[in-house]
Structure formats: C-alpha cells, structure tokens
C-alpha cells in the first residue's frame, strides 16, 4: 500500500528511513531495515480481530412420554395405599397406557441414529485450536519481522494473508446472524482498543510539533490511513491492517452473498482485482489508492475464509487444490525475485502482486489441510503453558498488534541504559538484535497486562489482566 506524500500531515519520503514493509505500505520505495545497535546521536528515540467461544448446553430433559398436562399425575396426598418402609402401594397402571409406553420404548431402542452427511464440515463446540495456533504464530512472525527485517520472513509464513483468512472464516460464521448487528459488534470490538492506543500516539506526536488537519477524523474511524509525522511513523504505519480489516467487515455481507452464488468461480476470480490494479490500472497515490491496493491484495484470502466456513474447500479434489496452490506460490515467488529492481528487495510486503499470489497458494494449503484432514490441534491442551500462551495471544490479538511496535521502540532506549551498568555491559549481549527481541517481548507482555483489559471492555466482558 502507498502512503500518499501529497496529503497534508504526511511526512516526506525517507529512502533511508526505518520502513517496515506492510507497516510502511506498498510501493513506498523504502526497504525494511532491521533495528541496529542503539546509537542515538541527536535523533529522538522513536526515529529508529474473532472468534467467540460457543459452549453448547443440553436442554433440560423432559420425558418424551410424559403427559402434557401435569395434572394427570396424582398429588401425593391423593395416592391411595399406605407407605411401608421405602415402598408405597401405588394404584395399578392402566394396561393400555403401559402397553403403549413399552412399545414406544422398544421402537426408540431399535431406531438407528441418522448418519452425518459425508461432505458436511465438522462443527466443533468450542474454539478451534488449529486456527488459534495459526493466529498466534502469525503474530510472533509479525514481531520478528519488525525486529530483524528479514525479507524472507513473509515467504516462510505469510502472516497477514493467514490473519485475513481466519478473520474471513469468523465473519462468515457470524453472518449467520443479522448483518447489521454483526458489523456493529465487530466495529465495537475494534475501535476502543484503537482509540486507547491512538490517544498516546497522537499525544506524543502533538508534543513533537505535529499539527493535524481535517484528516484527524481517520484517528476516530480508520477508513483511511490516519495522518502522522515522521517522529511517530514507526508506530502508526501498522494501521494499514486495521483499515483493511474494517473495510472487509463492512463489505462482507455483500461479498458473502456474491460468493454463495458460485463459490468456486468467485474464489478463483477474487485474484482478478490485483491483476487489474497491477497491470491495467494504477490506483492514485493517496488514501483511496492505498486502501484499494490492500483490499485487492488480500481479497482472495478473505474469500478463502468464506470457502472454509461453508465447506467448499472440503468438496474440492486434493490434486487440483495442491497443483493450483503450488502454481500460485510459484508465480508469486518468481515475480518477487524477478522484480527486485523496482523495490530493491524480494520482500513480499513491498510487492503486492507477489504477496497476493504467494499468500493465496500458501494459505489455501493450510486451510485445505484443516478441512481435508480434520486437523484440530486438540493435543495442544497437553502442553499447559504453550496452550495458555496461545489463548492469551488470541484474546489479546489487537493489543499485541497495536503495541508491539511501541514496545520495540522503547526497547532501544532501555537497552541503551544498560550500557551504564558495568556488569550488564560485560555479561549481556547488548549489541545483539536477539537481545532486543527478548526485551521487546518483555515489554509486549507489560503492555498486554496494562492495556489488554480494553479488549474486554470492548467485548462487553469483565476486565481482566489476563484472559
């Protein structure tokens, strides 16, 4: 995605700045730069969504052959006979009623239970640990990429495509309810954590000589890229994901209706927009162009979530799925490596077309494996600590995503202070990026504890330090 430099409040292009792939946007011309050794000079430091648990409860049991009118049962004081020990002498049962009841019970015992349809997708009662694990790994990969800037990270695990596919699955599931209610719920869960985080970022930029124009409205509802200055660029550039997610949520009722008209055809054709944007029509270099490019890039992944939810993937032939997925991955990789001159790297985050096809093939294989082999990762429960981490990451996904860049920013001045302690300077690898990576995760944990409760409030739950 592109950050329009001609818009008021946008910083000038910085070819050697601290860009971060998708965080910086497509076509920005900036190459991902890893964090370096904490050297400051005169520079300020910062220059460097949902599934719900659904518990099924059995309805209260009522005997099938019980009379509809409870008055048919005699009251205790109306029962003739005398109690003898623990046994009461009850009146005899009518022969006709007894025969009917006995025949009915025999009939129920002999009736076999209907077998499930062979193509029906499984319907687990609780959360799907396979999807939860994918989301947790995706978040770890995002933090890793923003720390080290490895260009190959997106090829090993295309986090954003996976997150959009999972969000699409959950959205299709939620749209079994009225669409307006679902959209309102999604927005209500997204905006409060964004506002809470944005208050600190906007305040910090105002202190550092930033004065916004009317574009400040995008800090209220991020339907476009929120403005900011160069000082806080590293923090606010990650908002492209929230903006794209919000647009997909708004468009989902229409997209789902179109998808269900011809599922397989619509899924394949969802790659057409990125081809049009790339080869036939170049979007404008502004907020509209940025949003359109990102929607085209990840449209297939979102629709793929619909396909999984509706059981479409499970009905496809394995050979066709594998061949087409590998072809998409091959085309995406080929295009990335053969067009490095345009961006200076083969980083998928800087090449929307390559990102779209690589993510399409990679995520299709992950989702199809889930549908075809019925993978659920239920065994993860045996590893209590790991299972707990996955649970926290999913319940605090928005908090982790928003605050991780600030945690990495603050890790630099914190490590810089360690150099003033002789023991730390001697025994700790203060110059290592891996050490910064560890400090960053410690600060992320602190932010989850301090700020994660906002997600509980947004979801109308009781605020907790940890879920």
């Amino acid at each position: 995605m592109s950050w329009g430099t001609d818009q008021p409040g946008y910083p000038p292009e910085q070819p050697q700045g601290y860009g971060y792939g998708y965080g910086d946007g497509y076509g920005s011309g900036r190459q991902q730069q890893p964090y370096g050794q904490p050297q400051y000079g005169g520079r300020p430091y910062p220059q460097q969504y949902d599934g719900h648990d659904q518990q099924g409860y059995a309805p209260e049991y009522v005997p099938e052959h019980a009379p509809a009118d409870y008055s048919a049962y005699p009251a205790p004081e109306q029962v003739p006979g005398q109690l003898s020990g623990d046994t009461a002498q009850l009146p005899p049962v009518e022969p006709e009623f007894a025969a009917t009841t006995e025949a009915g019970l025999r009939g129920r015992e002999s009736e076999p239970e209907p077998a499930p349809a062979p193509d029906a997708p499984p319907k687990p009662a609780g959360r799907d640990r396979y999807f939860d694990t994918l989301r947790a790994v995706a978040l770890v990969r995002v933090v890793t990429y923003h720390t080290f800037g490895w260009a190959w990270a997106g090829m090993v695990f295309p986090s954003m495509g996976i997150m959009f596919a999972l969000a699409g699955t959950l959205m299709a599931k939620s749209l079994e309810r009225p669409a307006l209610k679902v959209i309102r719920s999604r927005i209500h869960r997204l905006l409060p954590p964004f506002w809470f985080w944005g208050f600190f970022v906007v305040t910090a930029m105002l202190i550092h000589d930033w004065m916004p124009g009317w574009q400040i409205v995008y800090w209220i509802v991020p339907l476009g890229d929120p403005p900011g200055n160069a000082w806080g660029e590293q923090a606010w550039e990650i908002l492209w994901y929230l903006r794209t997610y919000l647009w997909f949520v708004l468009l989902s009722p229409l997209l789902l209706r179109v998808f269900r008209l011809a599922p397989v055809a619509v899924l394949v054709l969802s790659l057409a927009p990125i081809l049009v944007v790339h080869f036939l029509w170049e979007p404008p270099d502004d907020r509209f162009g940025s949003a359109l490019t990102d929607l085209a890039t990840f449209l297939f992944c979102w629709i793929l979530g619909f396909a999984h939810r509706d059981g479409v993937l499970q009905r496809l032939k394995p050979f066709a799925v594998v061949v087409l997925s590998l072809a998409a991955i091959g085309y995406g990789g080929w295009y990335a490596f053969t067009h490095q001159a345009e961006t200076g790297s083969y980083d998928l985050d800087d090449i929307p077309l390559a990102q779209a096809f690589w993510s399409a093939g990679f995520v299709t294989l992950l989702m199809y494996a889930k549908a075809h082999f019925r993978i659920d990762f239920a065994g993860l429960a045996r590893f209590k600590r790991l299972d707990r981490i996955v649970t926290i990451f999913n319940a605090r996904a928005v908090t982790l995503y928003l605050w991780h860049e600030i945690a990495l920013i603050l890790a630099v001045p914190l490590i810089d202070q360690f150099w003033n302690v002789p023991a730390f300077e001697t025994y700790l690898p203060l110059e290592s990026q891996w050490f910064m990576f560890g400090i960053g995760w410690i600060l992320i944990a602190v932010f989850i504890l301090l700020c994660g409760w906002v997600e509980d409030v947004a979801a109308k739950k009781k605020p907790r330090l940890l879920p």
Side-chain angles (χ1 to χ4, degrees):
M1 97 189 142
S2 305
W3 294 88
T5 56
D6 57 344
Q7 297 294 324
Y10 276 68
E13 285 292 323
Q14 300 178 4
Q16 301 300 324
Y18 291 81
Y20 285 93
Y22 268 131
D24 285 358
Y26 290 114
S28 61
R30 294 191 295 272
Q31 182 180 354
Q32 169 70 31
Q33 298 292 338
Y35 288 81
Q37 179 179 350
Q39 301 287 340
Y40 288 101
R43 297 181 303 184
Y45 293 138
Q47 240 182 347
Q48 289 256 213
Y49 281 45
D50 265 270
H52 304 286
D53 292 341
Q54 296 185 352
Q55 302 296 335
Y57 294 94
E60 183 180 357
Y61 175 71
V62 179
E64 185 174 336
H65 299 283
D69 185 3
Y70 284 95
S71 62
Y73 290 110
E77 62 273 10
Q78 297 173 333
V79 176
Q82 302 294 327
L83 294 175
S84 175
D86 295 333
T87 306
Q89 300 296 327
L90 299 176
V93 181
E94 293 292 337
E96 181 180 356
F97 178 76
T100 304
T101 304
E102 184 178 357
L105 291 176
R106 284 200 304 268
R108 285 179 57 84
E109 291 175 359
S110 62
E111 291 179 0
E113 294 187 2
D119 292 337
K123 295 182 178 180
R127 293 190 63 95
D128 192 308
R129 298 311 276 172
Y130 179 75
F131 285 164
D132 285 351
T133 303
L134 288 182
R135 187 179 293 106
V137 174
L139 290 169
V140 172
R141 207 283 288 164
V142 168
V143 178
T144 304
Y145 174 77
H146 287 168
T147 304
F148 299 96
W150 292 327
W152 47 264
M155 292 186 170
V156 173
F157 200 79
S159 292
M160 310 318 297
I162 290 171
M163 292 174 68
F164 279 119
L166 300 181
T169 297
L170 295 175
M171 192 64 188
K173 178 181 179 181
S174 298
L175 284 174
E176 296 171 358
R177 298 180 285 131
L180 187 60
K181 183 177 180 180
V182 172
I183 292 175
R184 187 186 302 118
S185 174
R186 285 289 189 271
I187 294 176
H188 191 272
R189 292 172 67 93
L190 177 67
L191 291 185
F194 167 67
W195 290 336
F196 183 79
W197 172 87
F199 172 80
F200 295 96
V201 175
V202 170
T203 301
M205 290 192 297
L206 290 173
I207 294 174
H208 287 81
D209 301 325
W210 177 62
M211 183 55 62
W214 67 267
Q215 298 92 345
I216 191 71
V217 298
Y218 293 116
W219 281 101
I220 301 175
V221 181
L223 291 174
D225 298 327
N229 62 2
W231 186 89
E233 185 176 9
Q234 183 176 325
W236 54 256
E237 280 196 333
I238 63 172
L239 294 179
W240 74 269
Y241 172 72
L242 269 66
R243 179 251 293 150
T244 307
Y245 171 82
L246 183 57
W247 273 112
F248 274 133
V249 167
L250 296 175
L251 294 171
S252 281
L254 176 61
L255 291 175
L256 185 59
R257 181 174 298 182
V258 173
F259 167 76
R260 286 174 174 168
L261 295 176
V264 177
V266 172
L267 178 62
V268 174
L269 290 175
S270 62
L271 283 171
I274 189 61
L275 294 172
V276 172
V277 165
H278 190 83
F279 291 110
L280 300 179
W281 176 69
E282 183 177 356
D285 188 17
D286 55 16
R287 287 182 174 87
F288 173 75
S290 298
L292 194 61
T293 300
D294 291 334
L295 286 171
T297 301
F298 294 103
L299 178 62
F300 180 93
C301 293
W302 191 271
I303 299 294
L304 185 67
F306 293 171
H308 172 80
R309 174 61 190 173
D310 285 4
V312 175
L313 288 182
Q314 191 171 350
R315 296 193 294 267
L316 299 179
K317 300 298 183 181
F319 179 79
V321 172
V322 172
V323 169
L324 293 176
S325 297
L326 293 179
I329 292 174
Y331 178 72
W334 169 82
Y335 192 89
F337 280 102
T338 56
H339 290 75
Q340 297 185 54
E342 300 175 8
T343 61
S345 172
Y346 59 89
D347 193 332
L348 296 178
D349 289 356
D350 297 328
I351 312 172
L353 182 66
Q355 174 72 274
F357 277 86
W358 185 279
S359 297
F362 197 102
V363 180
T364 297
L365 291 177
L366 288 178
M367 301 290 278
Y368 186 75
K370 162 67 178 174
H372 186 72
F373 297 107
R374 307 286 181 91
I375 304 174
D376 57 10
F377 278 11
L380 185 66
R382 295 197 300 268
F383 307 93
K384 300 297 183 182
R385 293 183 180 179
L386 184 59
D387 185 66
R388 180 66 174 151
I389 292 174
V390 170
T391 299
I392 294 173
F393 275 31
N394 279 268
R396 296 290 185 258
V398 178
T399 300
L400 196 160
Y401 182 80
L402 286 173
W403 289 93
H404 81 273
E405 280 283 24
I406 295 180
L408 295 175
I409 293 171
L410 296 178
V412 176
L414 179 61
I415 294 174
D416 194 46
Q417 296 301 314
F418 289 178
W419 291 89
N420 298 325
V421 180
F424 289 171
E425 183 179 4
T426 303
Y427 298 106
L428 293 180
L430 301 182
E431 297 181 359
S432 171
Q433 287 180 294
W434 284 101
F435 185 74
M436 186 192 310
F437 184 64
I439 296 297
W441 276 108
I442 293 175
L443 294 177
I444 289 172
V446 172
F447 281 126
I448 288 176
L449 290 173
L450 295 179
C451 310
W453 58 270
V454 181
E455 290 196 62
D456 291 331
V457 174
K460 298 181 181 180
K461 298 178 182 178
K462 182 180 179 180
R464 294 179 294 175
L465 286 177
L466 287 175

